[in-house]
């Protein structure tokens, strides 16, 4: 029983951290901040990629904070951050416009938090969750 409460508390802490990071970047994406425009122009996806990514991140925030959809939100966040980290490794570089690697670090933090939430709530993952449900083995008399 105590283990379950600890897992829930850890999961919620990780969910809030990931959601807070994602939420604070929404302002920059939706307001057309110069850094966001630079990033998506470099990726060849300005403005539609910036707005679509912002919308997907907004959806991830809502899903991460709504108890029935936490696993789906974590899955979406992992996917989005895989793209962000991939963009840093391939086109943007770790440091973007002298940010000291802050954006990369935030993406990595969201990725790790969301991946940990998926491990903790693996049974709730849509379509695949049933694979993680423990089954009782029957005694076989072979």
């Amino acid at each position: 029983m105590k283990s379950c409460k600890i897992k829930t508390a850890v999961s919620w802490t990780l969910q809030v951290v990931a959601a807070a990071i994602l939420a604070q970047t929404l302002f920059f994406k939706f307001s057309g901040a110069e850094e966001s425009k630079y990033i998506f122009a470099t990726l060849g996806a300005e403005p539609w990629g910036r707005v679509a990514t912002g919308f997907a991140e907004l959806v991830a925030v809502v899903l991460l904070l709504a108890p029935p959809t936490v696993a789906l939100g974590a899955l979406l966040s992992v996917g989005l951050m895989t793209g962000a980290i991939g963009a840093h490794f391939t086109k943007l570089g770790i440091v973007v416009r002298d940010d000291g690697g802050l954006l990369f670090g935030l993406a990595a933090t969201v990725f790790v938090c969301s991946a940990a939430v998926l491990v903790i709530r693996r049974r709730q993952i849509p379509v695949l969750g049933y694979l993680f449900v423990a089954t009782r083995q029957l005694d076989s008399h072979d």
Side-chain angles (χ1 to χ4, degrees):
M1 184 68 146
K2 187 177 181 182
S3 174
C4 184
K5 287 183 180 182
I6 291 171
K7 283 182 182 179
T8 300
V10 169
S11 178
W12 271 103
T13 301
L14 295 168
Q15 289 163 229
V16 168
V17 168
I21 291 170
L22 289 169
Q24 67 93 20
T25 64
L26 293 176
F27 171 78
F28 301 101
K29 286 186 179 73
F30 290 139
S31 69
E34 285 305 313
E35 191 167 86
S36 285
K37 285 183 174 182
Y38 170 80
I39 289 168
F40 284 93
T42 301
L43 298 174
E46 172 61 28
W48 58 270
R50 175 176 49 83
V51 174
T53 300
F55 179 74
E57 289 177 358
L58 176 60
V59 170
V61 168
V62 172
L63 293 173
L64 279 168
L65 298 177
T69 59
V70 170
L72 189 58
L75 197 59
L76 178 57
S77 297
V78 165
L80 288 166
M81 293 307 106
T82 298
I85 292 166
H88 279 279
F89 282 147
T90 59
K91 292 196 175 204
L92 298 171
I94 302 300
V95 177
V96 178
R97 289 192 142 184
D98 299 322
D99 75 344
L102 177 65
L103 292 175
F104 176 79
L106 292 172
T109 301
V110 172
F111 180 90
V112 170
C113 288
S114 298
V117 168
L118 281 176
V119 170
I120 293 168
R121 297 182 179 262
R122 62 190 170 272
R123 290 177 184 90
Q124 298 170 16
I125 298 171
V127 181
L128 301 175
Y130 78 93
L131 296 172
F132 302 108
V133 175
T135 56
R136 210 171 94 183
Q137 291 192 346
L138 301 174
D139 291 332
S140 61
H141 300 286
D142 292 344

